[in-house]
Amino acid sequence: GALVYQYPRRTICKSGTSMRMECQAVGFQATSVAWYRQSPQKTFELIALSTVNSAIKYEQNFTQEKFPISHPNLSFSSMTVLNAYLEDRGLYLCGARGQQDTQYFGPGTRLLVL
Amino acid sequence: QQKVQQSPESLIVPEGGMASLNCTSSDRNVDYFWWYRQHSGKSPKMLMSIFSNGEKEEGRFTVHLNKASLHTSLHIRDSQPSDSALYLCAARGGGNYKPTFGKGTSLVVHP
């Protein structure tokens, strides 16, 4: 079956440092990957949409300089949170689109910033 | 940009009762809805997805979709205290592969 894995599931970083998270599609080819952040206030915000062979589109309030994304092939995407601060804490979710327009979501990476 | 509205914001039902949650998209081309359940401190887990008009049932959970009204609803029968959680709806506009999440409905099932 089709699954989306995210790694790590939980991570802690010091304020001002960076951390990288990964999203792996298994059992299907992810033609696009959407990255979200769920804040402590519970709202899911779309950070960016990454489509293979196209430019990555960032939503308002999110930039490539802060959240660089790599999507090198149809099964893998990674995103880095650069210079993480308290406001960056939350659950980061990736959603991968497969063939026939199906969409699969990973379990998320929970980021704590000290 | 698509908006996804969920109602009510919070809901309390007695154990064994029926919980009904609503979700509406602002995108007239919406073609896919997902329902997620998120227990406190945990990652959301997908309950059901629906993209065809009509009804879909899995165990105690039933999802309805009416594309004409851009509306989906989730119904939980015989609610259990373990169903207490945040229920999130996500919708995707046709041709726009960016699922958008609503703010969720907080469900409490009291014994």
Side-chain angles (χ1 to χ4, degrees), chain B residues 21-87:
Chain B
L21 295 73
N22 299 292
C23 174
T24 304
S25 168
S26 65
D27 186 338
R28 299 211 62 81
N29 295 314
V30 64
D31 67 349
Y32 225 113
F33 283 96
W34 296 264
W35 283 97
Y36 281 79
R37 179 166 71 182
Q38 185 178 28
H39 286 106
S40 181
K42 305 289 186 184
S43 300
K45 286 186 166 42
M46 192 181 80
L47 288 173
M48 295 173 75
S49 62
I50 189 165
F51 55 88
S52 299
N53 272 328
E55 178 180 301
K56 187 175 175 181
E57 181 177 335
E58 290 183 7
R60 297 184 293 109
F61 300 89
T62 302
V63 170
H64 292 272
L65 174 60
N66 182 330
K67 282 189 174 181
S69 61
L70 315 176
H71 178 262
T72 180
S73 57
L74 172 68
H75 305 272
I76 308 171
R77 70 169 185 276
D78 189 23
S79 296
Q80 302 297 308
S82 58
D83 293 326
S84 298
L86 180 69
Y87 287 79

Side-chain angles (χ1 to χ4, degrees), chain A residues 38-51:
Chain A
Q38 186 184 37
S39 64
Q41 291 75 35
K42 301 299 184 187
T43 304
F44 270 102
E45 300 174 277
L46 178 63
I47 297 171
L49 179 69
S50 170
T51 304

Side-chain angles (χ1 to χ4, degrees), chain B residues 11-23:
Chain B
L11 180 64
I12 302 174
V13 299
E15 184 174 358
M18 171 77 83
S20 294
L21 295 73
N22 299 292
C23 174

Side-chain angles (χ1 to χ4, degrees), chain A residues 16 18 71 89 114:
Chain A
S18 302
H71 192 176
R89 71 189 193 278
L114 301 179

